[in-house]
Amino acid sequence: TSPDRLGAIMTSLAKGSSLLELCAGLGSSFRHLTTAKQIVAQEIDPVAVAILTVLLEIEGIAAQVHSEDSIATLRRDWLGSFDVVLAVPPSRAQSQENELSTNDPRWLRYESGRIRPEDSWILNALSYLNQAGTAVIALPTSWMTASGSARFRKWLVGLGHLRAAISLGSGFYTDNRVEMTVLVLSGTLQPNGPVLIVNARDLADRADTSRQEGSSVTAVSSLLRAKPKERVIELPASELVGLGSLLEFFALKALVADVAHSRPDETLEQVIAQLEELVNGHQEMIKEIKEFAKFSKTLSFGKSHSLVRLADVAKIEIFSKNADPKWPNFDIERDDIILPLVAESRQGLQPWFNSPTIPYESGWSGSTNLANVS
């Protein structure tokens, strides 16, 4: 159910003696790794399982094929045992979140009870992968920047599982033309290791022939080996996490120029300076809060409280400079209030004024209404 050239590309990225393919389809991936001593496949579609079994028999490939749901089925004896794990989930299957069982060891690495389907395939592969192994998973490119998986991507990159993200374009899914990105994951945690972001989209336009299939594999291999600047971005995982774990090539390309490769001591100095600025601002804020708390005790509330909305005493239009050029260079809004201030003296709390000061000549249309406010 996946083009042979996709299987050839994926198997060129990982080698090993024991291999597991999740959602195997017709085995277009693992059938290129015939040298593996142990080949195991899971496929939920019983028709695909029947066809795959016949193909394997004809081609003389020894493999175990299990007709089961890769996500719903837990194989405890497989945990941490495979050198290579492959997966090409159908793009249409990525539609709803999965409720993960709390006692399923595949999900214990991640701190969440609900997870997106794409994230589930990654966690599943990592659980069956041994520490020295490599997983290669093909997912819709939209997952690479989806906000719903941002937390998961940060976790994946931050721990150091991701080694490369290769954008392959839209010619590889058989069920639609959705763009695909291949993730290369390591079973070993390398939080400070480099992550390659590779643009190989034009490979999807090539015809699916054996000659061009080989050409596709060669092109991907040369991209990873030569790492041309116009095609490959290489970033430490820590900087990628700092960008929000944007893994998709073109989205990252727009941001990578802003990544500062600073020395650790310079970074520490900047952090200390920011903390000092934060402390000073915090002290100033505390001072203002204390002043406000002291002042607020002087305010009276109730039926005749001293806070008056201007809209309650006059039409708001009279406070607009557009209506009266004598008004200052700002407009008063409908919910603005008159706040008569009071000052503490030996005689107790004394008002600073009995009514708002009207800094306009008599005859201004709002004077009468404001003068009646006490």
Side-chain angles (χ1 to χ4, degrees):
T1 52
S2 299
D4 280 342
R5 72 186 190 283
L6 174 60
I9 291 173
M10 293 180 65
T11 52
S12 71
L13 301 172
K15 303 294 182 182
S17 60
S18 58
L19 183 152
L20 167 65
E21 181 161 10
L22 311 169
C23 196
L26 299 183
S28 62
S29 297
F30 73 75
R31 285 162 60 201
H32 290 273
L33 279 181
T34 56
T35 57
K37 297 179 181 179
Q38 179 189 14
I39 300 176
V40 181
Q42 286 180 312
E43 171 55 48
I44 192 173
D45 184 353
V47 176
V49 170
I51 297 175
L52 176 58
T53 302
V54 173
L55 290 175
L56 292 174
E57 187 70 25
I58 293 174
E59 297 176 15
I61 299 174
Q64 304 173 37
V65 182
H66 300 271
S67 180
E68 56 196 14
D69 185 335
S70 300
I71 299 298
T73 304
L74 167 61
R75 293 275 186 168
R76 292 183 180 272
D77 55 324
W78 291 359
L79 296 174
S81 62
F82 288 94
D83 298 329
V84 179
V85 178
L86 307 173
V88 188
S91 64
R92 291 177 181 173
Q94 320 303 322
S95 59
Q96 59 185 349
E97 293 182 336
N98 292 323
E99 188 76 38
L100 304 180
S101 173
T102 56
N103 61 357
D104 190 324
R106 293 174 297 174
W107 320 132
L108 293 180
R109 295 184 179 188
Y110 187 63
E111 302 171 357
S112 178
R114 293 186 66 81
I115 198 168
R116 290 169 61 94
E118 297 92 336
D119 309 347
S120 301
W121 289 104
I122 294 173
L123 276 179
N124 206 26
L126 290 176
S127 297
Y128 292 135
L129 193 67
N130 62 41
Q131 290 189 351
T134 301
V136 184
I137 303 176
L139 295 172
T141 297
S142 58
W143 176 83
M144 311 299 283
T145 54
S147 59
S149 289
R151 181 169 176 262
F152 182 89
R153 289 196 303 271
K154 281 192 174 184
W155 172 88
L156 183 70
V157 175
L159 287 182
H161 282 299
L162 185 70
R163 307 275 32 94
I166 306 171
S167 297
L168 287 180
S170 59
F172 290 95
Y173 274 121
T174 56
D175 56 346
N176 57 38
R177 296 286 296 177
V178 172
E179 279 209 1
M180 171 185 290
T181 295
V182 171
L183 303 181
V184 181
L185 307 171
S186 172
T188 303
L189 302 181
Q190 303 176 43
N192 296 319
V195 179
L196 300 182
I197 313 296
V198 183
N199 176 17
R201 280 181 166 85
D202 59 332
L203 298 180
D205 298 328
R206 304 189 180 191
D208 190 10
T209 65
S210 58
R211 184 177 66 178
Q212 297 205 355
E213 170 190 316
S215 178
S216 298
V217 176
T218 302
V220 171
S221 299
S222 63
L223 281 177
L224 296 175
R225 183 172 60 255
K227 302 176 186 176
K229 292 184 179 179
E230 70 278 7
R231 288 277 196 165
V232 181
I233 294 174
E234 184 173 0
L235 281 179
S238 57
E239 291 185 2
L240 188 55
V241 170
L243 290 173
S245 295
L246 285 173
L247 307 181
E248 208 282 314
F249 182 81
F250 286 114
L252 180 62
K253 192 173 183 179
L255 296 172
V256 72
D258 298 329
V259 178
H261 297 271
S262 58
R263 291 164 42 198
D265 55 341
E266 293 177 348
T267 302
L268 180 59
E269 291 177 1
Q270 294 174 2
V271 171
I272 292 175
Q274 292 174 358
L275 288 175
E276 290 177 347
E277 183 179 350
L278 181 63
V279 169
N280 293 335
H282 181 65
Q283 295 297 331
E284 186 64 26
M285 182 181 68
I286 290 177
K287 179 180 177 181
E288 293 181 3
I289 290 175
K290 288 181 177 179
E291 291 293 330
F292 178 75
K294 180 179 178 181
F295 162 72
S296 64
K297 293 178 181 179
T298 68
L299 298 178
S300 61
F301 295 90
K303 187 175 182 180
S304 59
H305 61 74
S306 60
L307 302 182
V308 180
R309 289 195 318 159
L310 290 178
D312 293 337
V313 299
K315 291 184 178 180
I316 197 66
E317 287 77 10
I318 68 174
F319 301 112
S320 172
K321 184 174 177 62
N322 295 329
D324 192 328
K326 300 184 183 68
W327 195 247
N329 292 325
F330 56 87
D331 281 352
I332 289 182
E333 302 296 333
R334 180 172 299 277
D335 291 330
D336 286 353
I337 62 174
I338 301 172
L339 180 60
L341 300 180
V342 296
E344 188 172 354
S345 67
R346 293 180 180 178
Q347 289 76 32
L349 298 178
Q350 301 294 326
W352 286 2
F353 46 75
N354 292 324
S355 62
T357 301
I358 308 300
Y360 315 104
E361 51 269 43
S362 60
W364 174 64
S365 58
S367 299
T368 302
N369 287 322
L370 286 178
N372 292 328
V373 177
S374 61

